[in-house]
Amino acid sequence: MSAVNSIGIIGAGAMGQGIAQIAAQAGYMVRLFDVREAAITQAQDQLGKIWARQVERGRMSPEQVQQAQTNLIACTDLAQMSDVDLVVEAIVENLTVKQDLFKQLESIVSDTCILASNTSSLSITAIAQACEKPNRVAGFHFFNPVALMKVVEVIEGLRTDSSVCDQLVIIAKKMGHTPVRAKDMPGFIVNHAGRPMNIEGLKIAQEQVADFATVDAIMREQAGFRMGPFELMDLTALDVSHPVMESIYNQFYQEPRFRPSPITAVRYAGGILGRKTGEGFYRYVDGQKQLPETLPAPEHKAGLKVWLAPLHPEGYARAHALLSTLDIVLLETEEAPDDALIVVTPYGEDVATVVANFGLDAARTVALDTAFGLETGRRRVVMRSLLTDDAWTESAVALFASDGTEVSVIEDSAGFVAQRLVASIVNGACDIAQQGIATAEDIDTAVSLGLGYPHGGPLSVGDHVGGDLLLEILQSMQFVTGDMRYRPSLWLQRRVQLGVSLRTTR
Ligand code: NAI
């Protein structure tokens, strides 16, 4: 396959404009076409402004901008694509329209020209099916905004020559982006790996475990993610994310892990879409997210008697280390005395199950989530059962906030909030690896660059939290709820059984 020097971009909307920008900046000769001439003019105007700002900020020299502008040629006729080496299509997300365009392109471009689609939800193999040479059709999936989201998925359809994808990898790098390779499966890597965060967040809300703001705060300040599920859905807007949730669920034939929620269906139908409509899971006033008022933690009373249940070795050790530093009377008796707060530290179980299994006094029992560490400043989560007395819950909050750390109280839930969300995220990534959709390394790279997950991606998050603990959380959640969405991926199970990193491949 010959080297690529010129790139045709079809569709001058949000994505086409961004791809044109980075291609022209990288020195490619770019031809930009759209059925609407106004879209091309608008894209050129926008790029003019973006480049002017780059010069102002010292990020590009006037000469570089001049060169990029010269590299970018607006086209009013598709026939002007006749001598490009690569076409990147970024038109409306509709299979028949894309297939028609690809068919038409084949009659215009040279035999060696690569045809790539920026589709986020359609099958590359299905688009290529309309072509005489499906082996030159691949996916080149950028993210919005293209110039800032430095990752691109290179997707191999069932008939794509792998040399075509090799070329796209080189081009992506020249454009300053990190390429990751994916098989032609629904959602590719990033949109697939991103499902569990939203879906499990919605399930938690649907079960009345915690309100939206509490779930988000826990994901940020306990689990260390940049955003929680509801902030994220408000940003992407439900007219995008709800149909994606339904589409991925159906494309995987009602896989329970991807089961969408009626919460977003109702909001989507009602136009309560997120930031852009001023109202989503949060209200926005002048673009500012409105948060529910939070009360200061109650005052801790020194001398509180606490009995820590020795039921989970890891959880017990972590909670014991914290409690030893706080101003309490920590009781080490075999059974819980009648006048002590009972603290349990489950992994994947709810308080009701622990209370029932070990015959504890429900009124005095709270659970503490120990899975993400308990150091001062990291939000702590206290979970209560439906029988926990308010006074004992208050004592627990006062205790765990007594070193100045924020505490959230949640209702009974198998796996608290963060255990559920993080275990689901890691399990989802493991299943992408198990299906061979991408390598473990590319999954981590794609998700860390595409979604900003911590620790370098979801499989590394799994190693950080501990594969064995996550497996235990998933098994317990499945046992307590009976829901198959929590069944552990074989990828996770085998790596835990063999005692190796979740990134280990043969
Ligand atoms: P957009 O609506 O902003 O732009 C699409 C452009 O394509 C419009 O200017 C339209 O006039 C033009 N167009 C429609 N049919 C055409 C045809 N037959 N020939 C030439 N031009 C045609 O859409 P956007 O957001 O740029 O998306 C484009 C593609 O990129 C879609 O496949 C979408 O799924 C995908 N994508 C979108 C992302 C996003 O966040 N917006 C992210 C990643 C992929």
Side-chain angles (χ1 to χ4, degrees):
M1 200 147 290
S2 49
V4 167
N5 297 309
S6 54
I7 302 180
I9 292 162
I10 321 281
M15 297 306 288
Q17 177 194 306
I19 302 164
Q21 179 192 345
I22 59 168
Q25 285 173 198
Y28 288 107
M29 301 304 297
V30 177
R31 303 239 166 103
L32 181 61
F33 172 80
D34 197 291
V35 275
R36 291 184 304 119
E37 270 189 58
I40 307 178
T41 322
Q42 207 183 344
Q44 282 180 307
D45 287 351
Q46 282 293 333
L47 287 178
K49 285 182 196 150
I50 289 170
W51 280 326
R53 267 204 308 274
Q54 296 287 68
V55 173
E56 272 166 34
R57 290 178 185 164
R59 296 198 182 130
M60 283 174 83
S61 68
E63 294 72 30
Q64 285 171 317
V65 165
Q66 175 68 44
Q67 187 58 57
Q69 267 165 335
T70 313
N71 291 347
L72 181 64
I73 297 163
C75 299
T76 49
D77 187 350
L78 201 58
Q80 288 170 276
M81 297 291 158
S82 62
D83 58 356
V84 299
D85 306 312
L86 159 69
V87 172
V88 182
E89 165 277 311
I91 65 166
V92 57
E93 187 76 340
N94 176 301
L95 179 61
T96 339
V97 180
K98 287 196 198 281
Q99 284 178 328
D100 286 347
L101 173 70
F102 275 65
K103 250 191 280 189
Q104 210 184 337
L105 282 167
E106 277 201 311
S107 66
I108 295 171
V109 299
S110 74
D111 277 357
T112 55
C113 177
I114 296 173
L115 300 180
S117 173
N118 186 50
T119 180
S120 42
S121 65
L122 301 171
S123 153
I124 298 303
T125 311
I127 295 173
Q129 175 63 11
C131 294
E132 273 172 36
K133 291 192 172 62
N135 58 327
R136 57 149 131 191
V137 177
F140 207 25
H141 182 218
F142 290 88
F143 295 84
N144 195 13
V146 178
L148 297 180
M149 300 294 290
K150 296 277 186 192
V151 63
V152 54
E153 293 173 335
V154 174
I155 301 126
E156 197 167 317
L158 289 181
R159 297 201 178 87
T160 314
D161 280 346
S162 55
S163 61
V164 165
C165 292
D166 296 343
Q167 281 270 24
L168 292 176
V169 161
I170 295 168
I171 296 162
K173 285 182 182 159
K174 193 170 160 192
M175 289 175 175
H177 272 45
T178 302
V180 287
R181 293 179 80 137
K183 276 193 191 155
D184 187 15
M185 288 286 268
F188 312 128
I189 307 173
V190 174
N191 285 343
H192 185 163
R195 286 316 89 217
M197 165 87 103
N198 294 354
I199 284 167
E200 197 56 29
L202 287 162
K203 186 82 164 53
I204 288 168
Q206 203 177 337
E207 283 173 23
Q208 303 290 299
V209 173
D211 61 27
F212 307 134
T214 302
V215 173
D216 284 343
I218 289 172
M219 269 315 264
R220 277 195 320 270
E221 296 162 26
Q222 187 197 10
F225 280 62
R226 212 161 57 184
M227 255 187 255
F230 301 103
E231 293 161 315
L232 183 64
M233 283 185 274
D234 267 5
L235 202 62
T236 24
L238 289 188
D239 54 341
V240 176
S241 36
H242 180 72
V244 171
M245 284 188 254
E246 289 194 331
S247 151
I248 300 253
Y249 177 60
N250 288 320
Q251 289 188 76
F252 279 102
Y253 300 106
Q254 292 81 45
E255 160 59 58
R257 287 197 233 278
F258 302 133
R259 191 186 318 121
S261 168
I263 292 181
T264 51
V266 172
R267 288 170 170 264
Y268 174 50
I272 302 168
L273 302 180
R275 251 177 206 279
K276 71 178 182 189
T277 55
E279 194 184 5
F281 293 105
Y282 298 89
R283 278 193 332 103
Y284 296 86
V285 177
D286 300 327
Q288 290 299 308
K289 182 167 77 181
Q290 307 297 299
L291 286 170
E293 212 182 318
T294 49
L295 299 170
E299 203 172 321
H300 172 58
K301 293 190 190 78
L304 175 75
K305 289 182 188 165
V306 178
W307 185 77
L308 177 62
L311 303 174
H312 189 284
E314 187 68 41
Y316 176 83
R318 292 179 187 192
H320 192 276
L322 170 67
L323 288 169
S324 310
T325 67
L326 301 178
D327 191 3
I328 53 159
V329 178
L330 185 53
L331 302 164
E332 309 271 357
T333 50
E334 203 162 295
E335 303 246 316
D338 287 346
D339 55 351
L341 171 73
I342 301 172
V343 176
V344 296
T345 55
Y347 277 68
E349 285 179 326
D350 56 356
V351 183
T353 303
V354 179
V355 162
N357 285 349
F358 296 98
L360 304 175
D361 177 2
R364 289 183 290 127
T365 305
V366 297
L368 176 71
D369 188 356
T370 55
F372 301 88
L374 294 168
E375 66 269 25
T376 304
R378 182 184 290 275
R379 183 174 286 273
R380 296 182 188 138
V381 177
V382 167
M383 181 162 75
R384 62 182 180 188
S385 80
L386 75 161
L387 291 186
T388 310
D389 270 358
D390 286 349
W392 285 110
T393 307
E394 196 170 301
S395 297
V397 172
L399 163 63
F400 292 116
S402 63
D403 61 353
T405 298
E406 297 284 346
V407 176
S408 296
V409 178
I410 62 167
E411 304 303 330
D412 215 358
S413 157
F416 296 87
V417 166
Q419 288 186 14
R420 280 174 78 155
L421 275 158
V422 173
S424 300
I425 288 167
V426 174
N427 201 36
C430 284
D431 224 41
I432 296 177
Q434 183 63 43
Q435 294 173 64
I437 294 172
T439 63
E441 195 184 339
D442 273 1
I443 293 168
D444 264 1
T445 304
V447 177
S448 103
L449 293 176
L451 297 171
Y453 286 4
H455 303 298
L459 297 169
S460 298
V461 168
D463 283 340
H464 182 81
V465 178
D468 53 344
L469 293 177
L470 291 166
L471 179 62
E472 181 184 350
I473 289 168
L474 289 161
Q475 285 167 334
S476 298
M477 289 198 298
Q478 190 189 350
F479 184 76
V480 172
T481 65
D483 195 331
M484 288 297 280
R485 75 204 269 139
Y486 302 118
R487 71 192 189 284
S489 165
L490 290 172
W491 181 277
L492 172 66
Q493 191 165 301
R494 288 177 183 145
R495 278 148 190 80
V496 172
Q497 283 165 335
L498 297 175
V500 293
S501 154
L502 300 185
R503 286 169 56 114
T504 308
T505 41
R506 266 194 79 82

